[in-house]
Amino acid sequence: MDVYDAIRARRSERDYDSKPVPEDVLNRVLEAGRISPSASNYQPWHFIVVRDPERRKALTDGRYAKFLTQSPVVIVGLGDTKTSPEWHVVDTTIALQHMVIAATAEGLGTCWIGSFYEDRVKAALGVPERYRVVAMLAMGYPKEKTDIRSAIARPKNRKELKRILSFDKFAPPRPTVRAPSGRLRRKQ
Ligand SMILES: Cc1cc2nc3c(=O)[nH]c(=O)nc-3n(C[C@H](O)[C@H](O)[C@H](O)COP(=O)(O)O)c2cc1C
């Protein structure tokens, strides 16, 4: 799958099939994280692949993380604060997003998880003090099978590029006005 197609096809998947992720597929996804860039090439990360159902359950305390009992794989991204005090969060995030795109290209569904209690996750997985839990990823085959062409074509609820972009120097987005219909529209 072309990288643009993978970026477009990706969406947060919260409903998973119980089918396990084959070892070779998982390894390719993890490799995509391993070779990602980091500040000064410090690689200040550690990833825990959580497959054991009991341990996965221990990660579901967050309000929006309940479906981690369903996803056959959870990847917990840890940032090493000692190795890179300044960039461990950015570097670990980049590696996790590489895994997300690779997983999409492999036909897997993923969902970023920021809804967790760090102290509880660390206790459940025996994570040493020096690491921060940056984020977790749910991963597995989506329950609902979507044809790849329609996944790519699916509209995305995002701000328009012109509202989030300037060239050469910062330009504030034009203010929105409320149309008589009540809908927000751009001021002309
Ligand atoms: C850093 C981060 C944390 C997130 N945390 C959660 C979460 O805890 N639970 C959840 O269901 N979705 C979570 N999401 C998914 C977002 O809600 C989702 O990416 C966003 O609504 C856009 O939808 P899409 O991913 O389907 O395009 C998170 C996304 C990011 C990037």
Side-chain angles (χ1 to χ4, degrees), residues 38-40 42 44-45 80 84-94:
S38 59
S40 306
Y42 284 156
W45 48 52
D80 183 344
S84 183
E86 200 175 350
W87 294 106
H88 62 275
V89 172
V90 170
D91 291 342
T92 305
T93 306
I94 292 169

Side-chain angles (χ1 to χ4, degrees), residues 114-127:
S115 178
F116 58 83
Y117 297 93
E118 185 175 17
D119 50 345
R120 296 188 207 170
V121 171
K122 286 181 79 166
L125 305 180
V127 176

Side-chain angles (χ1 to χ4, degrees), residues 71-100:
S71 68
V73 171
V74 179
I75 297 177
V76 180
L78 305 175
D80 183 344
T81 62
K82 291 269 192 326
T83 301
S84 183
E86 200 175 350
W87 294 106
H88 62 275
V89 172
V90 170
D91 291 342
T92 305
T93 306
I94 292 169
L96 289 172
Q97 184 62 7
H98 269 205
M99 293 186 204
V100 165

Side-chain angles (χ1 to χ4, degrees), residues 10-12 14 64-65 67 111-115 135 156 158:
R10 184 218 58 84
R11 71 165 174 193
S12 293
R14 300 182 178 89
Y64 304 105
F67 57 91
C111 187
W112 279 87
I113 302 292
S115 178
K156 291 211 176 272
R158 296 293 192 271

Side-chain angles (χ1 to χ4, degrees), residues 23 41 44 71 97 121 149 174:
E23 216 58 23
N41 200 21
S71 68
Q97 184 62 7
V121 171
R149 284 295 124 202
R174 280 181 298 151

